[in-house]
Amino acid sequence: MSGAEQDRVRIFDTTLRDGEQSPGISLNTQEKVEIAHQLARLGVDIIEAGFPISSPGDFEAVQAIAREVHGPVICGLARANAQDVDAAWNAVRDSERPRIHTFISTSDIHIEHQLQSTRENVKGQARAAVAHARQYTEDVEFSPMDATRADLEFTAEVLQIALDEGATTINVPDTVGYSMPEEYAQMWRELYRLVPDLAKVTTSTHCHDDLGLAVANSFAGVTAGCRQVECAINGIGERAGNASLEEVVMLLRVREPAHGYWSGVDTRELARTSRLVSRMTGYQVQPNKAIVGRNAFAHESGIHQDGVLKERTTYEIMDAATVGVETNSIVLGKHSGRHALKNALEELGFQVEGQALNTAFKRFKELADKKKKVTALDLEALVSDEMRESPSAYGLEWFEVEASSSRAPLAKVGIREPGGQVVEGQFTGDGPVDAFFSAINAALGHEARLREYHVSAVTGGRDALGEVSVILEYQGRTATGQGVSTDILEASGRAYLRALTNAIADSPVAEAEHHLGQEAQQTPTP
Ligand code: KIV
Ligand code: ZN
């Protein structure tokens, strides 16, 4: 960390809220908590953990994060109405540092067509929501949605109302990714002029990437005076996504001598956080993605390679180690013991004890038997995979797949249901993976449909761990699941079963049952 306090930019991570709104992403509570722990290790200032009113699953995840994750402010999103604010508060109230973030649109397009309301009503709702949130906590953020397409004077009026009611952070989003850097900075300068009270609170950017300008616009906001940037790991989020956290943070870090702004993020955790989010969401990172793409530090042309070999800075503006890019170092081998594994895992940021350590050790030994060199990347993939195992999920007990060029592949499976009972099924298919997934459907009696299937190798080499990510559709919902194994079919089966477990947990029947349970234990308002 460096620089003057007034130049510090707070990093507000919205991977678990705006990021999770990306099509096909459906993280369960355990996965969200794991990502939130990693975000805390990364050193973000605020975690927007979810939108608690949106579903019982979201409420539960935000509440679990508020209870378990220490360090950052934990924030819950709420539309500008009392019910949403109550849900957000009930979800974050157990955090050491809770925040409620409430929003309402100020653009006429949204007010007329979406809210079917009036500017007067918007002002009233903003006033009531911020006042209501302030009854619960001193940390209240307000956002005028779609503000970059709104009448600026009207937005300024709404912001003044939010400030009068006690909002402590004002975030002005470029909801549809329409703005340009100079325009966004000018909007802020004008808002500071129209609403002098903005100088007394934290102001914040929230830029979408529809024109590929999210990071540039966020930075323009910083130069205009904002000291909070809302962003998401790997740039995930609605449509084209949000400003990419790793790009914002490294722009602050690498060019600090030129602009003077800085953040408290531990940049060495960036690559790992990116891998974790990619693994959990099933959203692959493009190879040439700035900072965290696998080619971000690769040099292909002879001239570049020659230069870098002579002096790294000839073609690199940052050292890969600064962002924690793994060099695939060998960590352990076949003869390494439990203690060495525990130490290696601790170095990687995993606190694994008791039964979890036994299971991790067993899987490590199985891997070390097949693969001579077990790297940090292997361990990370393996432990993340193990952490996804849950007694309330479907498990792959055994499988057999016969494939040949002369007849249709046949798969047989034994699936452990959440109660522990093993059910069996078999099916033929167009290929071995198709047969395998159909056999799982047959065993469980569910009609899930595969939408996307992706295989990648965790490291190089023929003995590499394979990582499979699937997106499936079940009763109109999409869900993702991931699995890791040296056997691609086994990884596929695990991924499919996890996606199915997530889809069922998200299904209307499961939600209705959960609602009944919640209504029975309503939380009182103050
Ligand atoms: O893009 C947006 O306007 C949002 C708000 C809820 C802040 O995500
Ligand atoms: Zn957004």
Side-chain angles (χ1 to χ4, degrees):
M1 284 188 215
S2 50
E5 195 50 36
Q6 80 262 17
D7 295 328
R8 177 174 179 166
V9 177
R10 311 270 155 193
I11 300 297
F12 176 114
D13 178 274
T14 188
T15 307
L16 296 173
R17 199 279 297 167
D18 211 316
E20 221 249 345
Q21 283 170 220
S22 314
I25 297 186
S26 61
L27 299 166
N28 62 32
T29 296
Q30 199 184 344
E31 290 165 339
K32 287 183 188 170
V33 170
E34 193 187 338
I35 291 176
H37 276 300
Q38 179 57 29
L39 291 171
R41 263 198 295 271
L42 178 64
V44 305
D45 299 283
I46 301 107
I47 296 176
E48 187 166 50
F51 186 10
I53 195 85
S54 68
S55 74
D58 229 50
F59 181 95
E60 181 187 287
V62 177
Q63 189 173 54
I65 290 168
R67 290 178 177 168
E68 285 179 43
V69 178
H70 307 288
V73 168
I74 306 298
C75 173
L77 184 69
R79 285 166 301 186
N81 67 61
Q83 228 194 341
D84 276 41
V85 170
D86 290 345
W89 172 245
N90 287 327
V92 298
R93 64 190 301 165
D94 294 335
S95 162
E96 287 152 4
R97 302 168 69 201
R99 173 180 296 185
I100 299 172
H101 175 192
T102 184
F103 71 97
I104 188 161
S105 297
T106 54
S107 73
D108 290 329
I109 306 179
H110 281 209
I111 297 174
E112 281 164 29
H113 301 290
Q114 187 181 15
L115 302 178
Q116 297 182 338
S117 185
T118 61
R119 286 187 178 190
E120 277 317 299
N121 281 344
V122 165
K123 287 199 271 185
Q125 271 183 263
R127 182 186 304 284
V130 174
H132 191 54
R134 273 303 305 254
Q135 284 184 287
Y136 292 126
T137 170
E138 285 179 0
D139 192 345
V140 174
E141 173 168 332
F142 175 75
S143 298
M145 198 177 188
D146 201 23
T148 53
R149 293 191 301 166
D151 172 14
L152 200 64
E153 263 147 40
F154 176 62
T155 299
E157 261 185 81
V158 177
L159 294 187
Q160 186 62 60
I161 289 171
L163 289 166
D164 291 344
E165 295 305 326
T168 43
T169 300
I170 294 290
N171 172 54
V172 180
D174 182 25
T175 303
V176 290
Y178 181 67
S179 207
M180 297 183 286
E182 182 43 34
E183 193 182 28
Y184 191 64
Q186 180 55 26
M187 176 202 76
W188 273 109
R189 288 192 284 266
E190 198 50 19
L191 285 174
Y192 280 120
R193 190 183 66 76
L194 293 168
V195 190
D197 284 350
L198 279 174
K200 299 184 193 147
V201 299
T202 303
T203 47
S204 169
T205 69
H206 178 111
C207 298
H208 280 269
D209 207 30
D210 299 66
L211 293 174
L213 290 171
V215 172
N217 286 339
S218 306
F219 185 66
V222 171
T223 60
C226 298
R227 290 295 177 270
Q228 175 180 288
V229 171
E230 303 198 357
C231 42
I233 299 292
N234 299 337
I236 61 173
E238 279 282 351
R239 306 180 313 279
N242 283 86
S244 150
L245 183 147
E246 56 280 5
E247 293 174 24
V248 170
V249 164
M250 288 313 287
L251 170 59
L252 295 180
R253 167 88 184 250
V254 174
R255 300 306 310 275
E256 187 190 340
H259 53 58
Y261 309 114
W262 59 284
S263 82
V265 164
D266 179 354
T267 60
R268 289 163 308 174
E269 292 291 332
L270 284 171
R272 180 180 314 168
T273 316
S274 163
R275 287 195 298 270
L276 179 70
V277 169
S278 170
R279 185 166 277 144
M280 294 286 176
T281 57
Y283 267 46
Q284 309 292 317
V285 174
Q286 77 196 59
N288 59 328
K289 165 85 175 62
I291 319 296
V292 293
R294 72 167 182 272
N295 294 346
F297 295 92
H299 301 278
E300 184 67 16
S301 99
I303 296 175
H304 287 211
Q305 287 173 350
D306 176 57
V308 170
L309 286 174
K310 288 178 177 144
E311 165 55 40
R312 188 189 59 74
T313 56
T314 49
Y315 289 95
E316 282 186 2
I317 59 164
M318 58 196 137
D319 186 345
T322 327
V323 303
V325 165
E326 279 300 335
T327 49
N328 234 356
S329 50
I330 300 163
V331 188
L332 301 170
K334 189 170 165 167
H335 301 293
S336 308
R338 191 181 300 262
H339 193 65
L341 175 69
K342 188 166 186 293
N343 283 345
L345 291 177
E346 268 166 19
E347 255 177 59
L348 289 170
F350 296 111
Q351 297 297 329
V352 184
E353 311 275 351
Q355 188 47 40
L357 180 61
N358 293 344
T359 316
F361 189 61
K362 186 166 164 274
R363 282 198 73 185
F364 158 70
K365 279 289 178 192
E366 283 163 10
L367 180 62
D369 272 344
K370 293 181 190 151
K371 195 175 185 288
K372 265 211 248 112
K373 302 167 181 174
V374 178
T375 68
L377 289 180
D378 291 323
L379 281 184
E380 198 181 273
L382 211 64
V383 174
S384 299
D385 189 65
E386 208 44 61
M387 280 174 153
R388 290 195 203 105
E389 282 295 292
S390 147
S392 56
Y394 292 119
L396 183 62
E397 196 69 14
W398 57 264
F399 70 93
E400 276 173 37
V401 179
E402 289 168 19
S404 83
S405 56
S406 51
R407 56 178 187 280
L410 169 69
K412 299 180 184 170
V413 295
I415 307 296
R416 192 176 1 88
E417 293 191 308
Q421 192 194 348
V422 175
V423 290
E424 299 183 0
Q426 56 174 298
F427 224 87
T428 53
D430 290 337
V433 174
D434 182 43
F436 195 2
F437 292 168
S438 299
I440 293 177
N441 280 350
L444 296 174
H446 290 312
E447 265 318 309
R449 248 172 20 95
L450 185 66
R451 287 258 310 265
E452 275 181 42
Y453 176 79
H454 188 96
V455 190
S456 57
V458 173
T459 56
R462 289 176 64 177
D463 55 1
L465 273 175
E467 191 158 23
V468 172
S469 174
V470 305
I471 301 183
L472 57 73
E473 197 177 311
Y474 176 71
Q475 294 186 346
R477 306 212 162 198
T478 53
T480 58
Q482 290 74 36
V484 171
S485 169
T486 47
D487 180 329
I488 289 301
L489 282 171
E490 184 176 331
S492 303
R494 282 173 184 266
Y496 192 83
L497 285 168
R498 284 176 185 146
L500 198 55
T501 304
N502 288 342
I504 291 168
D506 257 3
S507 74
V509 177
E511 297 219 340
E513 281 168 0
H514 189 106
H515 253 310
L516 291 177
Q518 289 249 311
E519 273 159 23
Q521 34 158 314
Q522 285 245 344
T523 323
T525 52

